[in-house]
Amino acid sequence: MSNKISVSILGATGSVGQKFIELLIDHPWFEIASLCASEKSTGKKYSEAANWFQPTPLPDYIGDMIVQSCEPSVKGRIAFSGLDSEVAGPIEERFASAGYAVISNSKNHRMDFDVPLLIPEVNAKQLELVRQQKFGSGMIVTNPNCSTVGLVMALKPLVDNFGVEEVSVVTMQALSGAGYPGVSSLDILDNVIPFISGEEAKMETEPLKILGVPIKISAQCNRVAVVDGHTESIAVKLSKSARVEEIIEAWKTFRAEPQTLQLPTAPAHPICYFKEDNFPQPRKHRMLEHGMVVSIGRLRPCPIMDWKFTVLSHNTIRGAAGGAILNAELLVKNGFIT
Ligand code: NAP
């Protein structure tokens, strides 16, 4: 008999849902008890319902599990949600009302006043908000948008040490961020698409709730032909002057609660700074510390703002499933989930 906490995955067949499965297969605290998706998948074996496109093989016992509908009678104390945002809102509320700890990647509840919008290294204290929720033993905790995560992780040490007033960010976002099957090959090969619906507004608002400081942010979001890993070109105006080595030191030495608590999914070094002129790159660096590191490089003076640099983070790991699992670990370690 295992004494691990049983979890269900909502939206288990999708891009984020598959990453949840991959990351949870050998998790020391959690075990997958149920896989849920839409009507078209319900009742099928997982291996038939999902087109598994992860780099690791699908274990037989997962492939043989029968996909269930998203009803809060399925097994699991935690419900990790990778649901399409068209349907996530009410389904997640029903699960929370039935006593599940819902950890969501969808936008629906992110800006609710009593819902934590959590990056454990940045605003672990926001977990306290769940005490204001009306779900009894259930709760909803959310992950930020996948491109917000890289931006905010890079900004946090700057906010703490120098203050940040203005940010300009231009993204080059991976295909897996568009879900499965996502953007058609004929649309994206030999091309860049300079629009991702709703993305710029999320990047301009979510960091304010997470960091709790008023920053003016301008975001421009592009889809590029990279499979995994969002790259962001960022320029910042700081509140007080800083030297190049001070900024790099602030990034390199950044540690927070997940590292102190040694949570299983926490990277030992949450930010990696590269001195090479042509780093970071998605193919080379997205999998550092199992995809949980935010890579930064190319720090240089900006003639318009103060500084500019490049950030890379894995969108379905640090920006979605891995981040959500880290949230759940923080909840468990702090006694919110027993
Ligand atoms: P996706 O690949 O399109 O997967 C969506 C999932 O939702 C599928 O499992 C699908 O099941 C399920 N679903 C759709 N309609 C449903 C319904 N009526 N009832 C129950 N389940 C339903 O999308 P994704 O990229 O994984 O994204 C999932 C969520 O995470 C979205 O809200 C997205 O914005 C967010 N997110 C994504 C990323 C990323 O990098 N991909 C990062 C951060 C956040 P079927 O297969 O049965 O249709």
Side-chain angles (χ1 to χ4, degrees):
M1 278 277 285
S2 155
N3 53 10
K4 291 185 183 180
I5 298 171
S6 63
V7 305
S8 61
I9 301 172
L10 313 179
T13 48
S15 178
V16 173
Q18 293 194 15
K19 197 52 90 180
F20 270 126
I21 293 176
E22 195 184 34
L23 298 180
L24 287 167
I25 282 167
D26 288 320
H27 195 281
W29 300 356
F30 305 137
E31 78 185 343
I32 300 169
S34 48
L35 302 174
C36 307
S38 77
E39 259 178 36
K40 91 172 161 46
S41 307
T42 304
K44 293 182 184 164
K45 278 185 171 183
Y46 183 78
S47 56
E48 289 159 9
N51 183 1
W52 182 257
F53 61 94
Q54 301 308 313
T56 50
L58 180 67
D60 287 345
Y61 77 94
I62 298 281
D64 288 343
M65 286 175 75
I66 302 297
V67 178
Q68 304 181 64
S69 64
C70 292
E71 289 304 327
S73 49
V74 296
K75 279 191 196 152
R77 168 72 179 98
I78 297 173
F80 287 114
S81 171
L83 283 169
D84 189 320
S85 59
E86 291 293 314
V87 298
I91 295 177
E92 290 172 356
E93 279 171 42
R94 283 209 306 277
F95 272 75
S97 300
Y100 295 76
V102 176
I103 319 281
S104 172
N105 286 288
S106 299
K107 65 180 180 185
N108 310 65
H109 294 291
R110 282 183 192 148
M111 300 309 277
D112 294 0
F113 77 96
D114 56 356
V115 171
L117 180 56
L118 198 64
I119 301 177
E121 279 91 347
V122 176
N123 62 340
K125 286 197 170 51
Q126 214 170 92
L127 264 192
E128 292 296 323
L129 284 180
V130 301
R131 300 191 198 283
Q132 296 177 36
Q133 295 180 4
K134 306 283 183 275
F135 298 120
S137 60
M139 67 192 78
I140 298 179
V141 172
T142 56
N143 255 2
N145 175 260
C146 44
S147 36
T148 301
V149 174
L151 172 66
V152 171
M153 285 283 287
L155 291 181
K156 173 67 174 164
L158 306 185
V159 168
D160 289 350
N161 288 281
F162 319 108
V164 175
E165 293 177 1
E166 294 178 14
V167 173
S168 167
V169 51
V170 178
T171 68
M172 289 149 273
Q173 296 185 217
L175 290 170
S176 60
Y180 187 82
V183 187
S184 89
S185 55
L186 284 181
D187 285 329
I188 196 65
L189 287 176
D190 189 28
N191 208 7
V192 169
I193 299 173
F195 176 67
I196 302 175
S197 180
E199 200 80 353
E200 291 170 358
K202 290 179 208 165
M203 288 196 81
E204 291 173 0
T205 53
E206 292 178 6
L208 312 187
K209 176 169 175 178
I210 302 164
L211 290 163
V213 288
I215 303 176
K216 207 195 266 183
I217 303 175
S218 169
Q220 302 181 68
C221 298
N222 305 284
R223 186 74 68 198
V224 298
V226 165
V227 175
D228 289 317
H230 291 349
T231 306
E232 306 181 12
S233 295
I234 299 171
V236 293
K237 188 171 185 314
L238 302 179
S239 308
K240 67 177 198 201
S241 67
R243 286 179 292 121
V244 66
E245 55 275 18
E246 289 176 322
I247 297 176
I248 292 172
E249 187 65 6
W251 281 328
K252 280 184 160 178
T253 55
F254 178 64
R255 305 281 185 278
E257 207 168 327
Q259 286 70 43
T260 313
L261 295 172
Q262 297 189 310
L263 300 176
T265 302
H269 308 92
I271 293 176
C272 178
Y273 184 81
F274 288 95
K275 58 182 183 334
E276 292 82 350
D277 285 339
N278 56 349
F279 284 1
Q281 298 176 12
R283 225 171 54 201
K284 286 185 197 288
H285 305 120
R286 62 191 166 208
M287 285 311 293
L288 285 179
E289 294 205 44
H290 308 286
M292 289 299 285
V293 165
V294 173
S295 297
I296 308 182
R298 304 215 62 223
L299 178 66
R300 60 217 191 274
C302 171
I304 296 175
M305 310 280 257
D306 292 326
W307 294 97
K308 51 186 175 178
F309 50 90
T310 305
V311 167
L312 167 79
S313 60
H314 196 302
N315 52 297
T316 59
I317 302 181
R318 175 45 99 161
I325 293 168
L326 190 60
N327 288 348
E329 292 168 0
L330 189 69
L331 280 161
V332 171
K333 198 74 180 179
N334 283 297
F336 287 89
I337 298 173
T338 48

